Amino acid sequence: MSNKTKIFIDGREGTTGLRIYDRLEAMNDIELIVLKEEERKDIEKRKQALNSCDIAFLCLPDAAAIEAAELVENDKVILIDTSTAHRTDKDWAYGLPELSEAHKEKIINSKRIAVPGCHASGFITIVYPLIEKGVISDEARLTCFSLTGYSGGGKKMIAEYEANDRADIYDAPRQYGISQNHKHLKEMTAVTGLKTKPVFCPIVGDFYSGMEVTVPIFKEDIINGFTLEDIKKLYSEKYSGKLITYKDNDDENGFYAANALSGYDNMRISVNGNEDRILITARYDNLGKGASGAAIECLNYILGKNITDGLDIKEC
């Protein structure tokens, strides 16, 4: 009788699902349940797979992820959802264990885990400690800039950027989310505790993967007398683990490349600027700590494994 953990990936054909599959396939303690090509959209076959596994990854659009969760009748099945659908649902654990011991314990003990959004991961990692430690008020009105590789747009955007006859507009960085209704804003405020959504400026560039999220903080935003050095110390103490770390002087001769951690699953935080204007930056891979890597990290916590199992870490 096999002691392997049975895992089903619902939506394996997408960018995130494929990355998760590749990681799990290399693990000898995992047994993957894989539907035939003609069965993968068959609701009865999916329902059977969802209820016969130990853990299911939902790598689906929001509506389909909600539907999949409702198909689960076996109360022993653990769901890890990579969609936006459940990230602010209090019945689901938010999959960013580095935020606090309470977040980590909820992931370990929950049967429902929502993997953070890629942009949201950087913003929340930056802002959560500032509010937690009283550096800024939850009434602060913030701005966030986020540079991402085109893989974050899924198969359609990847095809657009990699087409031989693509238009010239793909040669330059392109800002989007200009209506200020980006789907990550809801979790960015809910998880950090901010009372006002930030002005959010996501930008996609002509590189496959990588992400750089920056939150500027004005002196007027800072309360309780915190200095630039105090804020650096706060992050160095908060994030000293294997997957999120603080690093001083993390630039490349005064520049920050958004693809510096492309292909890796960890995140680096840095603080720059001066006492009047501070820039706090998170760099990581939108497909790593921003998606499939974060999902595998949650799996490792659930199974009591080394949290870096199946992950690629770039040392500072």
Side-chain angles (χ1 to χ4, degrees):
M1 185 174 179
S2 175
N3 291 321
K4 294 183 178 182
T5 301
K6 294 182 179 180
I7 293 181
F8 173 58
I9 304 170
D10 198 2
R12 181 172 66 89
E13 298 74 20
T15 307
T16 300
L18 285 170
R19 297 263 307 217
I20 291 173
Y21 178 85
D22 289 343
R23 296 164 190 267
L24 296 180
E25 192 178 33
M27 298 180 183
N28 57 20
D29 58 344
I30 299 297
E31 178 184 335
L32 285 166
I33 298 174
V34 180
L35 297 180
K36 297 176 183 177
E37 177 61 27
E38 63 270 20
E39 296 175 339
R40 64 184 183 85
K41 292 187 178 181
D42 184 318
I43 193 166
E44 290 303 319
K45 293 293 184 181
R46 289 174 54 228
K47 183 176 181 179
Q48 182 180 355
L50 285 164
N51 284 281
S52 62
C53 66
D54 298 306
I55 300 171
F57 287 90
L58 307 182
C59 302
L60 302 161
D62 290 1
I66 292 170
E67 177 190 62
E70 292 174 347
L71 292 175
V72 178
E73 298 170 346
N74 182 349
D75 61 8
K76 294 182 180 179
V77 173
I78 296 171
L79 297 181
I80 302 176
D81 183 11
T82 67
S83 81
T84 311
H86 299 104
R87 291 174 186 161
T88 58
D89 188 328
K90 294 188 182 301
D91 292 331
W92 288 64
Y94 191 71
L96 197 49
E98 292 86 359
L99 292 183
S100 71
E101 190 67 23
H103 282 86
K104 183 178 77 174
E105 289 301 315
K106 188 169 183 179
I107 292 167
I108 293 170
N109 295 303
S110 178
K111 286 186 168 59
R112 299 290 183 269
I113 299 98
V115 179
C118 55
H119 297 287
S121 295
F123 179 82
I124 291 167
T125 300
I126 289 169
V127 175
Y128 186 94
L130 297 178
I131 295 177
E132 177 188 38
K133 298 298 184 181
V135 178
I136 63 173
S137 166
D138 58 6
E139 296 182 350
R141 301 174 72 86
L142 302 178
T143 298
C144 175
F145 297 91
S146 186
L147 306 175
T148 182
Y150 59 78
S151 59
K155 286 186 174 181
K156 181 181 178 181
M157 185 173 283
I158 292 171
E160 291 172 348
Y161 269 88
E162 297 184 351
N164 292 329
D165 59 346
R166 74 179 194 180
D168 292 343
I169 60 170
Y170 296 102
D171 295 344
R174 297 188 298 155
Q175 185 172 336
Y176 62 105
I178 56 178
S179 67
Q180 290 302 300
N181 288 313
H182 194 283
K183 64 181 182 178
H184 289 180
L185 283 166
K186 187 176 179 181
E187 66 185 286
M188 288 161 73
T189 50
V191 179
T192 59
L194 278 174
K195 293 181 178 178
T196 303
K197 293 176 182 176
V199 175
F200 180 41
C201 306
I203 300 165
V204 60
D206 187 14
F207 57 100
Y208 183 75
S209 71
M211 184 160 272
E212 177 180 325
V213 177
T214 298
V215 178
I217 303 291
F218 283 95
K219 182 178 181 179
E220 291 76 13
D221 295 320
I222 298 172
I223 58 178
N224 298 322
F226 281 87
T227 66
L228 178 67
E229 291 305 315
D230 291 334
I231 293 172
K232 290 181 178 181
K233 183 180 179 182
L234 182 156
Y235 285 112
S236 67
E237 293 177 349
K238 177 76 172 179
Y239 299 126
S240 58
K242 296 179 179 179
L243 292 176
I244 303 182
T245 53
Y246 174 78
K247 186 178 180 182
D248 267 327
N249 304 314
D250 196 31
D251 60 289
E252 296 90 29
N253 297 316
F255 291 86
Y256 269 89
N259 64 349
L261 282 146
S262 176
Y264 294 95
D265 295 300
N266 51 318
M267 176 189 292
R268 292 208 301 255
I269 307 291
S270 58
V271 177
N272 292 282
N274 52 58
E275 297 295 347
D276 291 322
R277 301 177 310 283
I278 298 172
L279 293 176
I280 308 170
T281 302
R283 291 198 291 179
Y284 51 106
D285 188 338
N286 56 291
L287 296 178
K289 185 59 172 160
S292 60
I296 295 298
E297 179 189 2
C298 289
L299 175 69
N300 288 338
Y301 273 107
I302 292 165
L303 297 179
K305 301 170 67 174
N306 185 316
I307 63 168
T308 59
D309 278 5
L311 302 178
D312 292 317
I313 307 301
K314 186 174 184 178
E315 299 298 331
C316 290

